[in-house]
Amino acid sequence: MKQERVKLSGEFHCLLAELGGNPVLTAFLTELVSRTSLIIALYESPGAVPCSHSEHLEIANAIARRDTARAIQYMDHHLQHIEAQLDLSDPLVKVDFTELFKASA
């Protein structure tokens, strides 16, 4: 469940990059999402409150309205929320990487 949530969230961010029409930025963000997804899978705190659908919706709506300032504000809040959910103190966390990278049905 957690792996699917992380994967779908990453796909959302990659789609946002694609909408920008900048292939260099899209490639960069795709790699960044892959790396951060691994970090989230490894270090998300037990009982962490995952980012909500409403956070992604706020970002998408601000972009649709071409409200750059609001989109930046929502994305910044979103990234801070994700960062706050990480516990980087336990280096021995186990993750099922096969499950993490399994193609979704």
Side-chain angles (χ1 to χ4, degrees):
M1 180 66 141
K2 175 175 152 178
Q3 287 88 355
E4 184 67 17
R5 177 176 47 79
V6 170
K7 182 179 175 188
L8 289 172
S9 182
E11 288 175 1
F12 169 80
H13 293 278
C14 290
L15 286 172
L16 280 181
E18 287 178 23
L19 290 173
N22 182 332
V24 173
L25 178 62
T26 300
F28 174 76
L29 191 62
T30 299
E31 183 172 331
L32 185 61
V33 164
S34 296
R35 291 173 189 237
T36 56
S37 293
L38 287 173
I39 291 168
I40 292 168
L42 286 169
Y43 297 106
E44 188 172 57
S45 300
V49 177
C51 59
S52 66
H53 170 72
S54 65
E55 287 182 18
H56 286 165
L57 188 58
E58 287 173 336
I59 295 164
N61 286 338
I63 291 170
R65 291 189 313 270
R66 298 184 181 271
D67 186 346
T68 304
R70 208 46 121 177
I72 291 169
Q73 178 185 12
Y74 289 144
M75 182 59 83
D76 184 55
H77 175 267
H78 178 60
L79 294 174
Q80 287 183 31
H81 173 224
I82 292 168
E83 183 180 2
Q85 301 298 315
L86 300 178
D87 177 3
L88 302 174
S89 65
D90 186 2
L92 301 176
V93 176
K94 303 273 192 259
V95 172
D96 182 351
F97 288 101
T98 303
E99 182 67 25
L100 181 64
F101 291 108
K102 183 171 68 174
S104 56

